[in-house]
Amino acid sequence: MSIGGIKPKHQRLVLVVIALVALIGAGLLAAWALRNQASYFYLPAEMAAKPPEQGRAVRLGGMVETGSIKTEADGVTIHFIVGDGKARIPVSFRGIVPDLFKEGSGAVAEGRIGPDGTFVADNLLAKHDERYVPREMKDMTAQQARATVAETQ
Amino acid sequence: MHGFANPARFLRLARWLTMPCLVAGVVIAAAALWWGLLRAPADALQGDSVRILYLHVPAAWLGMWGWGAIAAASFAELVWRHPLAAIAARAAAVPGAFYTVLCLASGSLWGRPAWGAWWVWDGRLTSMLVLLFLYFAYMALADAAGRDGDGNSRLAAIFGLVGAVNIPIIHYSVIWWNSLHQPPSISMGKSAMASDFLYPLLVSVLGFTLIFAGVVLARMRAILADSQAEARLRRKAMSEDAG
């Protein structure tokens, strides 16, 4: 059985390839349409442009601004600022922070926006980037930096 | 490729290759884990917990390549009707699912110290869990088709191709969507990972890949032997009926 003298093998090849292209196209379009809904958190710029309703549980993710972490007198309540270079949002959190929660590093806060515009987090997650650097190498560059400083003095 | 359409010729090669793959894989993977867990440096930010990556990354890649193998074999079955393709796809499902479980479990153990959570529903973790469920569905479908005889394995092959849509979604999930999981460290010819971490990781990937290949060959031989034994029983039953 062949149409127009094409071998059945080639006919199947063309059909399967067309089906595959259509399928992958549909999958990618669906994933693209989901790009806002499937995001795990809002960026500070998105939250500043379109603030969620007060009291609605959302996640906010960005970089913890250097020098912004302040601990209250009770020792477990902290205030810090999450930014993405375009907007800065103050966050407060009461509890134990993850080990990798540091200034200048990524963080995701789960909570809701308060009446004064502060994001009140009831859970805090640390987000690290894709770079991996050995501890020794980091120390070595610090030593090299010190050596360079000593040489120039 | 059609040189191996003859199961007897394939079996001769597979019998010869299975053990070397498994032995070399176990030796290389063990050496890579020894290197990664005991000899490689700790990460500047994460400390010793970074060592989980020598298990987590090979498991994640092979979980995805496992489905890639199913999809490629399904394609060969649908287009060329290659007699061994359905068997190869069935054989790849179990090790692929095993590596996916290994990836999810090791990732969970890593997530607790690094992120502060065992599990989050972000794009990467969710699409990887979907891959595991696809493996379960594929295994159920392919086993049912195998039990019915070989006429029905086309349905499993179509499912194998449709499920392949999830593979690019897993890869791009951390690029398209904000996620807690970090973007890929290693892409074509580039690595954001210091070579102290990269070399033991690549050796580990080689070791686990050889184990994967050995298990697929062993399972293909087992499935072929099974169907041959079944055919022999059927012939015997028929000749007894006749006689």
Side-chain angles (χ1 to χ4, degrees):
Chain A
M1 249 205 28
S2 64
I3 299 167
I6 310 169
K7 274 194 204 161
K9 190 163 60 172
H10 294 144
Q11 203 177 317
R12 286 199 301 267
L13 178 67
V14 170
L15 280 176
V16 171
V17 167
I18 290 173
L20 256 186
V21 168
L23 206 70
I24 288 172
L28 294 188
L29 275 177
W32 181 246
L34 268 173
R35 71 192 183 284
N36 289 323
Q37 282 79 9
S39 279
Y40 189 64
F41 51 79
Y42 288 108
L43 293 167
E46 291 163 355
M47 200 169 269
K50 241 203 271 173
E53 310 144 44
Q54 269 182 29
R56 201 181 128 219
V58 289
R59 296 192 195 91
L60 167 70
M63 298 303 265
V64 181
E65 209 165 85
T66 309
S68 73
I69 299 182
K70 303 222 162 39
T71 309
E72 266 185 24
D74 65 359
V76 287
T77 308
I78 58 165
H79 299 272
F80 57 95
I81 290 169
V82 168
D84 61 352
K86 291 178 205 128
R88 310 161 71 234
I89 294 193
V91 181
S92 73
F93 172 69
R94 189 184 146 83
I96 298 166
V97 301
D99 285 352
L100 295 192
F101 176 79
K102 281 177 184 138
E103 291 180 345
S105 193
V108 176
E110 298 180 329
R112 38 195 61 74
I113 205 127
D116 59 342
T118 303
F119 191 86
V120 183
D122 29 53
N123 193 21
L124 207 56
L125 299 166
K127 177 178 157 83
H128 64 86
D129 61 18
E130 70 279 18
R131 286 169 301 169
Y132 296 91
V133 182
R135 197 176 271 163
E136 285 78 358
M137 197 186 265
K138 200 186 167 198
D139 293 346
M140 199 177 72
T141 47
Q143 279 166 8
Q144 281 171 342
R146 276 197 294 277
T148 319
V149 169
E151 271 169 19
T152 49
Q153 272 173 349
Chain B
M1 207 163 82
H2 274 262
F4 296 111
N6 177 357
R9 192 181 300 174
F10 165 79
L11 276 173
R12 268 201 301 280
L13 186 77
R15 199 172 299 138
W16 184 80
L17 266 177
T18 307
M19 267 334 257
C21 273
L22 284 175
V23 171
V26 168
V27 169
I28 293 173
L33 288 181
W34 170 81
W35 186 0
L37 297 181
L38 300 172
R39 286 278 162 267
D43 181 63
L45 182 67
Q46 301 190 40
D48 280 328
S49 66
V50 77
R51 298 179 196 280
I52 301 174
L53 88 87
Y54 303 112
L55 183 65
H56 179 72
V57 175
W61 286 0
L62 285 162
M64 290 163 73
W65 293 345
W67 199 282
I70 290 178
S74 300
F75 187 84
E77 188 196 348
L78 288 176
V79 174
W80 295 292
R81 302 266 191 270
H82 195 290
L84 282 173
I87 291 163
R90 265 181 81 189
V94 170
F98 174 78
Y99 277 121
T100 305
V101 168
L102 202 61
C103 163
L104 290 168
S106 62
S108 184
L109 290 176
W110 195 359
R112 186 64 190 81
W115 301 336
W118 298 103
W119 181 265
V120 293
W121 292 101
D122 85 341
R124 173 55 68 84
L125 277 68
T126 308
S127 55
M128 204 65 194
L129 187 66
V130 167
L131 177 66
L132 180 64
F133 292 153
L134 287 175
Y135 270 120
F136 289 157
Y138 180 85
M139 286 192 281
L141 207 56
D143 275 5
R147 233 173 290 133
D148 290 350
D150 14 38
N152 250 341
S153 66
R154 219 171 292 170
L155 196 64
I158 291 171
F159 185 78
L161 276 183
V162 173
V165 173
N166 192 36
I167 298 298
I169 293 179
I170 293 175
H171 179 77
Y172 287 107
S173 59
V174 287
I175 298 166
W176 289 337
W177 307 319
N178 300 331
S179 56
L180 191 59
H181 193 286
Q182 72 284 1
S185 300
I186 302 166
S187 51
M188 284 295 165
K190 270 191 302 196
S191 164
M193 192 180 272
S195 51
D196 288 351
F197 300 112
L198 184 64
Y199 294 144
L201 174 62
L202 292 180
V203 175
S204 182
V205 169
L206 175 69
F208 282 107
T209 306
L210 284 171
I211 294 175
F212 182 90
V215 171
V216 169
L217 287 175
R219 276 184 49 76
M220 284 181 76
R221 287 168 58 195
I223 293 170
L224 275 169
D226 244 16
S227 60
Q228 274 166 1
E230 220 161 89
R232 206 168 298 146
L233 278 177
R234 210 172 292 144
R235 267 202 307 276
K236 209 173 152 199
M238 269 163 66
S239 65
E240 271 167 14
D241 281 351

